[in-house]
Amino acid sequence: MEERQHQKPGMVPPQPTEESQTSLLPPGWQSYLSPQGRRYYVNTTTNETTWERPNGSPRTPSSPGPQRNFQPATVNGYHSSGTPVHQSEAVHMSLRKPTGDFQNPGSPSPGKKQSKESTLTINCVTFPHPDTMPEQQLLKPTEWSYCDYFWADKKDPQGNGTVAGFEILLQKQLKGKQMQKEMSEFIRERIKIEEEYAKNLAKLSQNSLAAQEEGSLGEAWAQVKKSLADEAEVHLKFSSKLHSEVEKPLMNFRENFKKDMKKCDHHIADLRKQLASRYASVEKARKALTERQKDLEMKTQQLEIKLSNKTEEDIKKARRKSTQAGDDLMRCVDLYNQAQSKWFEEMVTTTLELERLEVERVEMIRQHLCQYTQLRHETDMFNQSTVEPVDQLLRKVDPAKDRELWVKEHKTGDIRPVDMEI
């Protein structure tokens, strides 16, 4: 029940398979079936996927961060390899679902009924058709991961266009960077307040007001003034530690975060542009094929009514052109599929990297804010220690004793006057 609470609505969690029940996988590995019925394996710890059944202990990545081997993983009904999609898997990448044996799209097939569409293309990205959509497993079913929920584009609330899912993720990262900058500025202002406060405390401790107070009360008053100087020193140290242990690490991490973000900034956009270019080529080739097929059909009709002696030769020529147009379309679709597979793979690895950077950023800020509160507690304790001597002296203030000491020091005589006698 706990796992289903994290599932995207409409997605079915992976069910135990016969293989997983009879032969246990190494720890951390799970088995899935692709929409084509081919089994693949996912290491939920390292994000590694493979077609081959793992043996022994799970593999450990050689460096931190998500692995880039996501070839067997399926999203939108296809795997993410950079190689051309196999013919058996091309059903989810093609624009039309084949109804019989695979053939060149330029080959004539009079009277053949067109099959129902199995895919649809939105903004140059091909998705399974909602009416024929095969069940898809999330790559990270229980984690609400970036790599599972940002494949489609979203309507731009500021205009009539759309915003790519990856762009939404990128905007979140840039916003996080700005928030971190503002936190650094906030700590910087706190440091300025501490420095100014310490300066004013030190100045006040040198004030000569009430300097002539005597006795135990005078000692307590002098300690009050000294405690101001001690407190000023405490706040100076607090401001110095805020700079070195909170503000500076925040600023340095922000710069490193900025460098990491630049690696992701343009790469996905360039791949998306390449995908759009490949899709435009597919559409152009499709249009050319349609024109060649119409020309072939017209030549065939001319042969039937024998309008020209050269009709048979024209038909052969038109058939060759139609076949060539079909070959061109197949080549363009293949290049499109390769571009989409590359975009898919980079989307998975890059979104996981953005996810890692976001977790790292939040954790780093949390740790340094904890350091801030710790320093604040220490400052309060040090401030308390500066007033403890004052408290002790105030408890010792004794007006009677003060009077005794003062009288002994300043007395002028203890013989009292008497009445005058005649």
Side-chain angles (χ1 to χ4, degrees):
M1 290 295 295
E2 183 65 20
E3 180 175 327
R4 290 196 175 187
Q5 293 176 359
H6 296 280
Q7 296 286 340
K8 182 179 178 182
M11 301 302 289
V12 181
Q15 301 296 323
T17 63
E18 180 179 351
E19 178 180 349
S20 64
Q21 292 174 345
T22 58
S23 179
L24 294 178
L25 293 168
W29 287 90
Q30 288 187 5
S31 172
Y32 298 93
L33 286 178
S34 72
Q36 296 78 33
R38 187 176 180 184
R39 186 172 304 284
Y40 66 96
Y41 304 89
V42 179
N43 188 314
T44 57
T45 303
T46 66
N47 297 321
E48 179 185 2
T49 57
T50 177
W51 294 116
E52 297 181 1
R53 191 181 192 283
N55 294 317
S57 58
R59 296 168 62 183
T60 303
S62 58
S63 60
Q67 299 294 313
R68 298 180 65 86
N69 181 17
F70 291 94
Q71 294 183 358
T74 57
V75 169
N76 301 331
Y78 60 91
H79 67 75
S80 63
S81 67
T83 58
V85 181
H86 294 296
Q87 180 177 329
S88 62
E89 298 171 349
V91 59
H92 299 290
M93 299 295 293
S94 62
L95 300 176
R96 301 282 181 183
K97 184 177 180 181
T99 57
D101 295 336
F102 182 78
Q103 63 179 15
N104 185 299
S107 302
S109 54
K112 190 172 183 178
K113 190 174 181 180
Q114 195 175 45
S115 63
K116 185 177 181 181
E117 293 184 2
S118 62
T119 61
L120 74 162
T121 302
I122 303 175
N123 291 343
C124 305
V125 179
T126 301
F127 297 96
H129 197 285
D131 297 335
T132 59
M133 178 179 178
E135 179 183 330
Q136 293 181 337
Q137 297 290 349
L138 296 175
L139 296 177
K140 304 182 78 172
T142 62
E143 300 185 25
W144 290 95
S145 175
Y146 291 165
C147 69
D148 278 317
Y149 297 99
F150 292 90
W151 294 103
D153 296 343
K154 188 177 183 180
K155 186 176 180 181
D156 187 358
Q158 305 298 328
N160 297 325
T162 58
V163 180
F166 181 77
E167 183 65 26
I168 294 174
L169 286 177
L170 202 59
Q171 290 174 1
K172 182 184 187 327
Q173 303 301 313
L174 294 175
K175 180 180 178 181
K177 184 182 72 173
Q178 179 63 26
M179 295 302 98
Q180 190 171 325
K181 178 183 178 182
E182 293 180 10
M183 289 180 188
S184 299
E185 293 173 351
F186 179 90
I187 298 297
R188 176 68 256 176
E189 290 301 313
R190 182 74 168 93
I191 292 172
K192 289 181 179 179
I193 291 173
E194 289 295 323
E195 291 174 343
E196 188 65 22
Y197 183 55
K199 179 180 178 181
N200 291 333
L201 285 178
K203 182 178 180 181
L204 185 59
S205 69
Q206 301 298 321
N207 195 291
S208 61
L209 292 175
Q212 296 183 3
E213 179 62 54
E214 301 175 337
S216 58
L217 181 59
E219 291 181 25
W221 176 247
Q223 187 60 45
V224 167
K225 294 169 68 176
K226 183 179 183 303
S227 70
L228 291 182
D230 295 339
E231 187 177 355
E233 185 65 23
V234 169
H235 283 277
L236 276 178
K237 290 181 178 179
F238 177 49
S239 65
S240 177
K241 287 186 175 182
L242 277 182
H243 172 69
S244 62
E245 300 180 20
V246 181
E247 182 202 16
K248 191 174 180 180
L250 279 176
M251 292 299 294
N252 290 341
F253 184 86
R254 189 176 67 85
E255 290 303 317
N256 294 334
F257 183 71
K258 187 176 181 181
K259 293 177 183 177
D260 291 333
M261 287 297 298
K262 283 185 177 180
K263 299 176 183 177
C264 309
D265 201 352
H266 301 295
H267 187 51
I268 295 295
D270 290 341
L271 290 175
R272 186 69 183 268
K273 289 178 182 178
Q274 183 180 1
L275 182 62
S277 176
R278 295 299 188 191
Y279 179 74
S281 298
V282 168
E283 291 301 295
K284 183 178 179 180
R286 191 188 307 282
K287 183 178 179 181
L289 175 60
T290 301
E291 293 175 353
R292 295 302 182 187
Q293 287 177 332
K294 287 182 179 178
D295 183 58
L296 177 59
E297 183 179 353
M298 183 183 66
K299 294 292 193 301
T300 303
Q301 291 175 354
Q302 289 178 353
L303 176 63
E304 293 175 355
I305 61 178
K306 299 181 180 179
L307 294 180
S308 171
N309 295 331
K310 296 183 178 181
T311 302
E312 291 187 15
E313 182 179 345
D314 291 342
I315 287 178
K316 292 180 181 180
K317 185 176 180 181
R319 184 175 290 114
R320 286 196 301 270
K321 290 183 178 181
S322 180
T323 302
Q324 180 62 44
D327 291 340
D328 290 342
L329 177 58
M330 291 174 62
R331 179 181 58 83
C332 289
V333 169
D334 185 53
L335 291 174
Y336 169 84
N337 288 342
Q338 292 183 46
Q340 183 164 259
S341 292
K342 186 175 182 181
W343 173 74
F344 164 79
E345 181 178 353
E346 291 299 323
M347 274 286 289
V348 171
T349 55
T350 305
T351 53
L352 287 176
E353 177 66 7
L354 292 181
E355 192 174 294
R356 183 190 68 80
L357 289 174
E358 176 67 5
V359 171
E360 184 179 333
R361 183 187 73 87
V362 171
E363 180 59 23
M364 185 279 305
I365 293 176
R366 185 195 69 82
Q367 290 178 0
H368 285 88
L369 290 182
C370 287
Q371 180 66 10
Y372 167 81
T373 59
Q374 179 63 27
L375 291 173
R376 187 71 178 83
H377 289 317
E378 291 177 0
T379 300
D380 290 341
M381 288 189 295
F382 287 139
N383 283 337
Q384 182 63 31
S385 67
T386 63
V387 297
E388 285 178 359
V390 178
D391 290 336
Q392 294 174 2
L393 288 175
L394 288 175
R395 286 192 292 268
K396 293 180 180 180
V397 171
D398 185 349
K401 186 65 175 177
D402 288 348
R403 186 172 61 252
E404 174 187 346
L405 295 175
W406 188 87
V407 169
K408 286 181 178 179
E409 181 180 355
H410 299 283
K411 64 182 179 177
T412 59
D414 56 359
I415 304 298
R416 296 183 298 278
V418 295
D419 292 340
M420 180 183 296
E421 294 181 356
I422 300 176

